[in-house]
Every structure is written in C-alpha cells, then in structure tokens.
Amino acid sequence: MSARPAASATPASAVVSASDSDPCCDAPLPVLGRDVTVPLVTGGEVTYAALDYAASAPALQRVWDDVAAYAPYYGSVHRGAGYLSQLSTDLFENSRATVHEFLDCRDGDQVVFTRSTTDSLNLLAAVLPADCEVFVFETEHHASLLPWSDARVTYLNAPRTPEEAVRTLEQALAHRDPSPGSSSWGDPIGPALVCVTGASNVTGEVWPVRELAAAAHAHGARIVLDAAQLAPHHPVSVRELDVDWVAFSGHKLYAPFGSGVLAGRADWLQDAEPYLAGGGASRKVTRRADGGVDVEWHTTAARHEAGSPNVIGVYSIASACKALGEAGFDALVAREQHLIAKVREGLAEVPEVRVLSLFGDDSPRVGVISFVVEGWNSSHFAAALSAEYGIGVRDGLFCAHPLVRTLLGSDPQDVGECGAPEAEPGEKSLNAIRVSFGAGTPDEHVERFVAAVRELVREGAKWTYHTEDGRCVPAV
C-alpha cells in the first residue's frame, strides 16, 4: 500500500471479485466465512451454510480487505493535527458523502452515524417535537416499534394487503387528536411522524413505502423508513421514496463493525438537544460567573455524534455501499429473486410446511422467509438443521413479537422435543423458523437447505435434542 491511502476511494488492492477470490463461488459478492467447516453430530464436517443474513450478514470480503488496508493508518477523527488523524478525518467525512450518495439523499439532508438501526431510531425519538404524535404498525421490528414511549403513539393493526396498509394509515392520520399543547409547526393538530419498515424482517415482504410517504405528507406528517432489511437487498432512494429519514445498520449491510446510519432532514436534528452530550457535539463551552457552563452545540451531523467516532465502522459501511453499487442492484436483485424462487418452490413441495405471509404469495419480497412445520417445534427443527446439516437459520419471534403472534395465531400446540427459547407456559410452540440470504449466498446453500427440510420432515431427526439454557441443543 502507498504511504497515504486515498480517503475518497477504496484501495485498488482491496477490490476482490468472485472470480478472483473463489472460482467455485457462484455468489456475486464473496463474503468471509464461505469456506468455514463445522462438525455434524452424525459425524464428519461440512461447509457451513450461513442462512441468517437478516440477523447479521457476513462481512463482504471487499469490506474486510478495505478495513485491513486502512487499519495501519487508523487515527483519531477530527481535531487532530497529526497526519493519521487528518487522514482518518478525510476518510470519515468522505464515507459520509458515500452514504449520502448511496441513499440518493436530497441537498441539505444530514447523514448521522450511529451504532445501529435501533440507535438511529432512538436518536430520532429523542429529537421529536414535544407535541409530536407517532404512528407505527404493530408489524414493525422492535427497533422501530418501541423507541417512541415519550411521544403520543398510535399503534396500527397488521394490514393484510399493501393497499390496506395505506388506507389504515390514511384513516388514522385523518382522525388525529388535537395536540394537548401548542404546535411547534403552527398547526392546531401538531406534528406527526410515521415509522414504517421497508421490508419485513419476518416475511421479507416489501412495503408500499412511496404510497405510505404520500399519505403521510398529505396529512402533514413526516415519515421515517426502517431500511435495515431493505438496503442490503434493494436500492433505497430518499428522493424517489420521498421519505423524511431513513435508518439502517452496517451489520446487515455486510459491514459488521458496529455502525449505523440515520439520514434525512436536518431541522428536527438541529433544533433538539444533542442525543449524547460530550466532546465532538460541542462547538464551544465556557464557564459562567455563577459557576455553571454555557454550551454552543454544533448544527451539523456532529451535534449527535459525541465521543470518538467509530471510523472503522463508518468506513466499512461506505465500502459496502460502494461494493453493492459497483455490483449493480439490478443484477443483485435478479439473482436474489432466483434464490427466493428456489426456496419457495422447494418449501411448497412439502405439505407440512406453512410459509408466513401478510400480503400473499405474489407480494414482492427480499431474501427473508419464515415458516413453521406441522408436528415440529421450530426451535427443534432449527437445531436439527444446524447439528445434522451444518445450516444456520434463526428460530423464535425475531424481535417482532406482535407480528409473529398475529401470523401464527393464538392457540399454539406443545409439540417437539424442546420448546421455544424463554417461552411462556402454554406457548412452547409459538415460534417460527426464518431462513435469510443475500449477495454472498451460493446456490448450494439454499439447495442443501431445501433438501434438509424435505428429509427432516420425511424421516425425522437422527439425533435427540433437549432444552438447555433456553436453547434447543443436541443431547450429549
């Protein structure tokens, strides 16, 4: 590597294509861990099939190489006179510009770096006007369902079609209660915020974001998009969707280094007190005659980025954004739809499998599919996939408890050798299995998964399982 890496461009040595790195890999963007082998309880080892992208996607090889190339030049961001500090500052701010471009933000939109989608939405909740009312569907991930406890919140029932989602929101907004205090907008009804997911972390179904944004704006409300599951699979344009803010996590975007993004309109962010008080957020601090201090806060994104920024996490997000953009979302989406079709067609051939859906089979979706298997507890089934086939999926309620409970119904049956983690009495089977994949998933992984589901249902598990420390595990 040269004496000084270009802060605004990825080092050429870090660009790795599938053909350069792994001739046997049919995934368009190679990821770390694609050659990892794991032991099977039945004996031997097998290459691990990582099919839990919706929880945390593996790091892109490109991201890992970019971070490794930068690591020797790591320095403190902002305010440092040293060469490495200045270089790191350039890298950090150019990463902000990369994310701004990746999201197709408007002029004047701010990109604030956070720890995750959860952190981003809690930040937005902290800067809401005092009289703001929030509207959120019960179908949201807990990251976007729960942060609004200090606001007036209206929880909307799960819609069964995209059109019903839009109608439900329009009706709720049309019947807003008058604000109990004076409105900061000069509107007697007061400000409002709609929070909606772009793609469900349970069903993978894509929500009608543009139509929901239009409904929100028609009633004087703003809208924030939880793009945690959408951004890794599909282009997200703030301009085209006409959303006011978008939030996502690096660890779901193939950049697992502890950073997230909140991007969008600057006014509420600038008008509120900093999310965290400390160095970096403050522009000027002076002592008062009475012994206290006066603080002048930044009006830029730094206002909500107190402390030493996670430059490696931020750079990894920018690297992932560049990799996805260079690969081309048209090609990535087309291939993912190919994998989705393989999984759905394979599951459809097993009568005991029921795929969970709000909007129906024809709804657009990303590579996230949840299902239950008749006669099996989902935790037991997931444990067998791992222990006997080397396939990693997720089971449970997926931090979207109201949605999964709605999809499964309220009368679970106690079946299987072990129950759901931390399940309430009588709800041992109230859980589901989720398989999720993306740009780093080879065809063989989904083919092995479909074959394993078919074999487990037909022949049963080859091993005995029990619950230990809240998890279903193979018996020793």
Side-chain angles (χ1 to χ4, degrees):
M1 187 172 178
S2 62
R4 174 169 178 160
S8 60
T10 302
S13 61
V15 179
V16 181
S17 69
S19 58
D20 292 336
S21 63
D22 187 355
C24 297
C25 180
D26 54 3
L29 289 174
V31 295
L32 292 182
R34 59 190 180 275
D35 298 323
V36 168
T37 59
V38 295
L40 302 180
V41 293
T42 52
E45 293 186 341
V46 67
T47 303
Y48 184 65
L51 296 178
D52 194 15
Y53 278 46
S56 285
L60 287 178
Q61 185 70 53
R62 158 77 171 269
V63 169
W64 186 261
D65 290 344
D66 279 358
V67 167
Y70 162 66
Y73 301 86
Y74 171 79
S76 178
V77 173
H78 300 144
R79 301 176 298 284
Y83 178 82
L84 297 190
S85 179
Q86 293 182 47
L87 184 149
S88 296
T89 298
D90 287 347
L91 194 76
F92 186 82
E93 293 303 334
N94 277 289
S95 295
R96 196 189 306 275
T98 296
V99 173
H100 193 285
E101 180 181 0
F102 177 76
L103 294 174
D104 190 26
C105 290
R106 301 164 292 251
D107 294 342
D109 281 347
Q110 286 188 347
V111 173
V112 180
F113 289 115
T114 65
R115 293 174 297 177
S116 60
T117 308
T118 302
D119 195 34
S120 296
L121 293 170
N122 275 271
L123 163 56
L124 187 59
V127 306
L128 294 179
D131 51 354
C132 188
E133 186 173 5
V134 176
F135 295 81
V136 57
F137 286 93
E138 68 171 351
T139 47
E140 294 290 312
H141 185 281
H142 293 171
S144 47
L145 186 73
L146 303 180
W148 320 105
S149 57
D150 291 336
R152 293 183 296 145
V153 187
T154 297
Y155 296 103
L156 307 175
N157 292 335
R160 287 298 183 166
T161 65
E163 295 77 16
E164 184 183 344
V166 177
R167 287 196 305 271
T168 298
L169 179 61
E170 287 178 333
Q171 292 168 2
L173 291 172
H175 293 88
R176 277 202 284 158
D177 293 331
S179 170
S182 60
S183 169
S184 59
W185 282 9
D187 180 343
I189 299 180
L193 177 72
V194 176
C195 181
V196 67
T197 189
S200 171
N201 77 303
V202 176
T203 67
E205 292 164 316
V206 177
W207 279 59
V209 177
R210 190 178 314 183
E211 292 81 1
L212 290 167
H217 293 154
H219 291 276
R222 297 192 182 191
I223 185 167
V224 58
L225 169 63
D226 175 353
Q229 299 296 341
L230 187 63
H233 303 274
H234 195 278
V236 174
S237 169
V238 169
R239 293 177 192 267
E240 290 185 10
L241 294 174
D242 197 22
V243 293
D244 297 281
W245 293 277
V246 60
F248 70 87
S249 295
H251 73 99
K252 298 186 191 298
L253 196 80
Y254 311 100
F257 290 93
S259 282
V261 168
L262 177 67
R265 301 197 181 278
D267 53 352
W268 285 8
L269 294 167
Q270 292 175 348
D271 292 343
E273 291 294 302
Y275 181 47
L276 297 173
S282 56
R283 176 184 291 169
K284 181 180 179 181
V285 180
T286 56
R287 289 293 301 275
R288 296 194 305 264
D290 64 4
V293 294
D294 288 322
V295 184
E296 181 182 337
W297 302 106
H298 279 293
T299 58
T300 63
R303 185 183 188 90
H304 298 289
E305 293 177 346
S308 295
N310 179 2
V311 60
I312 286 181
V314 165
Y315 181 43
S316 71
I317 288 179
S319 173
C321 290
K322 287 182 179 180
L324 290 168
E326 291 166 6
F329 267 111
D330 287 347
L332 294 176
V333 169
R335 183 175 183 281
E336 186 170 303
Q337 292 305 309
H338 159 73
L339 295 181
I340 291 171
K342 274 194 172 187
V343 173
R344 288 176 59 82
E345 289 168 6
L347 294 180
E349 294 173 355
V350 184
E352 292 85 353
V353 169
R354 176 166 71 91
V355 173
L356 305 183
S357 174
L358 271 176
F359 299 155
D361 290 344
D362 296 331
S363 177
R365 65 194 68 233
V366 300
V368 180
I369 298 169
S370 295
F371 62 98
V372 292
V373 183
E374 182 182 347
W376 284 81
N377 175 272
S378 294
S379 294
H380 184 194
F381 200 89
L385 285 173
S386 174
E388 300 178 27
Y389 299 91
I391 298 170
V393 297
R394 186 152 295 241
D395 63 278
L397 301 177
F398 317 125
C399 290
H401 294 188
L403 171 56
V404 180
R405 289 173 184 274
T406 294
L407 294 172
L408 292 181
S410 58
D411 186 27
Q413 300 298 314
D414 188 357
V415 296
E417 295 181 29
C418 47
E422 301 178 358
E424 296 294 329
E427 291 189 346
K428 288 186 70 177
S429 298
L430 190 61
N431 58 340
I433 307 152
R434 183 181 69 191
V435 56
S436 53
F437 39 86
T441 305
D443 281 39
E444 188 274 332
H445 287 187
V446 299
E447 291 165 358
R448 193 196 321 169
F449 164 76
V450 170
V453 170
R454 186 181 299 114
E455 186 170 281
L456 278 173
V457 172
R458 183 176 63 244
E459 301 180 10
K462 300 179 178 67
W463 208 259
T464 301
Y465 298 81
H466 68 275
T467 300
E468 182 178 299
D469 297 328
R471 293 298 310 169
C472 188
V473 297
V476 178

